[in-house]
Amino acid sequence: MDFEQEGVGFCEKRPDQCVPALEDVVQESALPSGQISFRVTAKDGAAERLAFKWEASIGTLETVRTTSTSSMVLWNPPACLLVIQSGTVSVSVENSHGHVSKEFKVSVAACPKPTFPLTPTPSISSRGHHSLALLSDGSVWAWGRNDSGQLGDGTVRSRTFASQVSDLEKVAAISSGYAHSLALRDDGTVWAWGGNDYGQLGLGWSLDQVKPARIPDLGEIIFLSAGVVHSLALSRNGAVWAWGDNEYGQLGAGSPASSPKPVAVNLKNVSGVVALAAGWAFSMALCENGEVWVWGDGFSGTSSASSGAAYVPRKVYGLPGIAAIAVGRRHALALAVDGTVWAWGSNDSGQLGLGDRDFESSPKQIPGLSKIRAIAAGPEFSIALGSQGEVWAWGLNDSGQLGRGPTSPQRVPNTVSAISAVSFISAGEHHVSTIRSDGVFWIWGDDGAGGIKPLPRRVP
């Protein structure tokens, strides 16, 4: 007894036997442009028009042709990624009785090391109570609190509006600390200004700097990260440099000695570093093989090894392949290559997004988050950027930093409904800064100069 004999009644009795069947599945070799074509043909005994739904975990898809029984797409891979990534292109073929799926494997190579001059990419950076913005022309703009000169305009007057940083041009990357700021110029030199009581500017002394000054003897840098009172930089040859406070070993040089000048991080067991994250009293590194290493304050839970200060890097265990990292005061986030997010460390305000307030000494996957493409962490809150440009936020919300209006904390991720089409995110002490796909900068929370504004607003 089959569909030919019973007609529609057969599918009503046996819907599992009326789902589409795949007849032809083809994955073509890479085209000269780097694209890969995928084609599926399906059979449906009920002679219904089939619905084809394609998805890619990395890269983008372009539909070439779809008929009632077949579909073809082109996969456009990113030029390269920070770490080597394997991903999938999948298709679901559906009719009114069910669906059948097919998954293809794809991979993207890690980006080659940057060459000088570096190219600026518009971005925004918030760590303390101020924010920095980098424009495509290499100029840097700043707003927020300025009690230590962190806005770089030669004064200590705070501002609610963006103003260009003095005597600084051709910048390729930025990073804001709690009360200090760093800029990487396109020639690989690093410039610093703002608070300097722990030597976090790397200039060799501990006086505040109200205008940018070049850090001596530090060149060919390709990545930097400013923490609360220490800073990190990655050179093109793979060396990692650190300076500032070292009470908990966050400089990673093997001793508890602080340094107002850059010192080399002990990378004896670490290779292929591609990104850094400087936290409150600890540091993290991401390697091209997707591994994460940590040093500094062990109480932060950023190591599944023993607690206490770690003066040299330790590997973080229990993680899948990782594509990006972010650090808060005493918690850490890791974005996996499959788009899931992992969290560990302190959780007093629900900043781990696990639905509770329990401390986690090893990484745990955050439920409900998938297809995430960027992450950021404030002291006790966290944010993530979804594949559709939506922003997710959770944790402490005393200053409206979750962007939801009410200031009650959230122990699980929720979307910030008042903003969409976001392309870049950054988390400060009590505020969030973003860039929308139209290039406009938006913030919410308390940026240290304009009071609490719990809903997204455009940067003036």
Side-chain angles (χ1 to χ4, degrees):
M1 192 175 296
D2 57 19
F3 178 80
E4 296 295 334
Q5 295 175 318
E6 294 192 14
V8 176
F10 176 83
C11 291
E12 293 176 349
K13 297 175 183 178
R14 302 173 180 83
D16 59 313
Q17 296 185 34
C18 286
V19 299
L22 295 178
E23 289 191 321
D24 187 29
V25 178
V26 179
Q27 176 176 341
E28 300 287 355
S29 301
L31 302 174
S33 61
Q35 296 175 310
I36 297 178
S37 67
F38 298 92
R39 186 178 71 252
V40 296
T41 301
K43 178 182 179 181
D44 182 5
E48 298 180 10
R49 183 177 181 87
L50 300 176
F52 294 84
K53 182 180 180 181
W54 292 87
E55 292 185 337
S57 62
I58 52 177
T60 61
L61 292 172
E62 175 185 342
T63 301
V64 175
R65 182 179 65 253
T66 297
T67 69
S68 60
T69 57
S70 68
S71 181
M72 178 179 178
V73 297
L74 284 177
W75 176 65
N76 301 295
C80 60
L81 295 171
L82 196 58
V83 299
I84 301 171
Q85 288 194 32
S86 296
T88 60
V89 172
S90 60
V91 61
S92 174
V93 187
E94 183 177 338
N95 64 13
S96 60
H97 303 289
H99 72 277
V100 62
S101 300
K102 173 64 180 178
E103 189 174 87
F104 305 88
K105 299 293 185 181
V106 293
S107 61
V108 179
C111 295
K113 291 182 179 180
T115 58
F116 302 103
L118 303 172
T119 302
T121 299
S123 61
I124 196 166
S125 180
S126 304
R127 167 66 74 182
H129 296 279
H130 74 292
S131 298
L132 303 176
L134 172 63
L135 305 188
S136 58
D137 62 3
S139 64
V140 178
W141 298 69
W143 64 93
R145 184 175 294 178
N146 195 32
D147 52 344
S148 298
Q150 56 264 50
L151 300 189
D153 63 356
T155 77
V156 289
R157 294 190 299 271
S158 299
R159 284 198 310 270
T160 58
F161 57 91
S163 182
Q164 188 169 354
V165 176
S166 305
D167 305 325
L168 192 64
E169 60 180 2
K170 297 182 178 180
V171 173
I174 51 174
S175 185
S176 60
Y178 182 79
H180 74 291
S181 304
L182 301 177
L184 172 62
R185 288 192 56 182
D186 64 1
D187 59 1
T189 59
V190 178
W191 296 67
W193 63 97
N196 195 31
D197 45 349
Y198 290 88
Q200 59 265 43
L201 299 187
L203 301 173
W205 60 78
S206 57
L207 297 176
D208 292 353
Q209 185 78 27
V210 297
K211 287 188 176 183
R214 180 181 173 180
I215 300 179
D217 305 319
L218 195 62
E220 293 202 336
I221 299 302
I222 58 175
F223 193 97
L224 45 73
S225 179
V228 174
V229 286
H230 79 290
S231 304
L232 303 172
L234 172 65
S235 68
R236 192 176 187 278
N237 65 8
V240 176
W241 301 88
W243 58 95
D245 183 41
N246 194 35
E247 181 179 359
Y248 294 94
Q250 57 263 47
L251 300 190
S255 78
S258 299
S259 176
K261 295 182 178 180
V263 295
V265 174
N266 185 336
L267 298 179
K268 181 179 179 180
N269 299 312
V270 186
S271 63
V273 175
V274 293
L276 301 165
W280 267 245
F282 64 96
S283 303
M284 290 179 66
L286 172 64
C287 298
E288 61 186 3
N289 61 2
E291 291 181 350
V292 175
W293 292 72
V294 63
W295 57 99
D297 181 9
F299 179 74
S300 65
T302 52
S303 172
S304 56
S306 61
S307 60
Y311 296 106
V312 295
R314 296 172 176 168
K315 183 179 177 180
V316 178
Y317 291 92
L319 286 170
I322 297 302
I325 53 177
V327 293
R329 177 175 286 127
R330 289 186 168 181
H331 79 287
L333 303 176
L335 173 60
V337 296
D338 63 2
T340 58
V341 181
W342 299 67
W344 65 103
S346 294
N347 195 28
D348 295 343
S349 300
Q351 59 264 44
L352 300 188
L354 303 175
D356 55 33
R357 297 175 58 195
D358 298 336
F359 176 91
E360 295 292 348
S361 61
S362 58
K364 297 290 188 296
Q365 184 179 343
I366 300 178
L369 287 181
S370 61
K371 299 180 183 179
I372 298 300
R373 64 185 189 188
I375 51 175
E380 294 184 31
F381 71 97
S382 306
I383 57 174
L385 177 62
S387 61
Q388 301 301 311
E390 78 279 13
V391 177
W392 297 78
W394 61 98
L396 185 66
N397 194 32
D398 58 342
S399 297
Q401 55 265 55
L402 302 189
R404 295 172 54 82
T407 55
S408 56
Q410 301 289 327
R411 298 180 185 177
V412 295
N414 287 279
T415 56
V416 181
S417 59
I419 193 168
S420 60
V422 172
S423 61
F424 196 95
I425 56 173
S426 183
E429 180 77 2
H430 295 289
H431 72 288
V432 171
S433 302
T434 67
I435 306 176
R436 289 191 50 176
S437 57
D438 59 7
V440 177
F441 293 80
W442 289 71
I443 61 173
W444 58 88
D446 181 4
D447 63 4
I452 296 176
K453 296 180 175 63
L455 293 174
R457 67 192 189 279
R458 184 170 178 166
V459 177

